[in-house]
Structure formats: C-alpha cells, structure tokens
Amino acid sequence: MGRRRTVFISNKPYLFIFRTRRGLPFVPWKTMNLLIRSAIARAQRDFKVTICSYKWMLNHAHLIVIVHDGNNAERFYQEVKKKITESIKRLCGLRQLS
C-alpha cells in the first residue's frame, strides 16, 4: 500500500524528517554542521520557507518549517537532501551515496 501524498498549504508549519541508511560520515562536527547549514541556506534561497527549528542526529534530522508557497515545499525538501548528499560525496570522495 502506498503512502498518501501530502498537500502543503501556504503559510502553515510542517515537520520534515530526513533519514539516512547509515549514520553521517565520521568527520569533525563543526565541518558537518557547516555542510548541513549551507545546504539549507542554498535551498532556502531558492524555495522560500522559514525555518523555525531543526535538530540533527546521526541518522536522521527534524526540520520544522513554515512554507510560504505550498508548491515549493516538496522542492525545498528534495533540494536540501540533494545538496547534503552532494556535499558528503565530495567530502568523502565517493561516486555514489544513497
């Protein structure tokens, strides 16, 4: 059975949860924090959302955001995941990362 698709309504708060198959790579926390914050900032620049709170753990993250345009919510989520994955791949010298 498939999951029901979420409908995002403008100017409402939503919880985004990012999950990984394995924990984040073992690099200094300040470096990883910088990579994650820069990924969020780049995605936030393109897809307007307000980040209320976030909590990063080793294998998942929680972001509470207010979406200003419901159509851009899913694109913001996808862009953050993509930017973090690309940054970690470059940092670790990997060709593929899921």
Side-chain angles (χ1 to χ4, degrees):
M1 177 183 236
R3 289 178 38 182
R4 229 185 312 166
R5 190 175 178 109
T6 303
V7 176
F8 295 102
I9 301 170
S10 300
N11 298 317
K12 298 277 184 177
Y14 291 96
L15 172 66
F16 290 141
I17 299 175
F18 300 91
R19 290 186 174 92
T20 60
R21 292 186 183 177
R22 289 182 278 156
L24 295 174
F26 189 70
V27 297
W29 177 246
K30 288 186 179 184
T31 304
M32 185 56 66
N33 199 18
L34 182 66
L35 290 175
I36 291 169
R37 285 184 178 193
S38 67
I40 291 173
R42 284 180 163 247
Q44 189 178 18
R45 177 191 64 190
D46 297 336
F47 308 105
K48 304 297 183 216
V49 299
T50 301
I51 298 172
C52 299
S53 177
Y54 64 92
K55 178 72 175 175
W56 294 95
M57 299 174 187
L58 289 178
N59 64 347
H60 70 285
H62 300 266
L63 243 82
I64 298 176
V65 300
I66 296 176
V67 178
H68 298 294
D69 182 8
N71 298 327
N72 286 334
E74 190 170 342
R75 285 188 243 155
F76 169 77
Y77 179 76
Q78 295 295 333
E79 188 70 17
V80 170
K81 286 190 343 183
K82 177 182 165 190
K83 295 289 184 192
I84 291 173
T85 302
E86 289 174 356
S87 298
I88 292 172
K89 283 182 357 187
R90 267 185 265 133
L91 179 71
C92 296
L94 300 172
R95 295 186 68 155
Q96 185 176 356
L97 183 67
S98 57

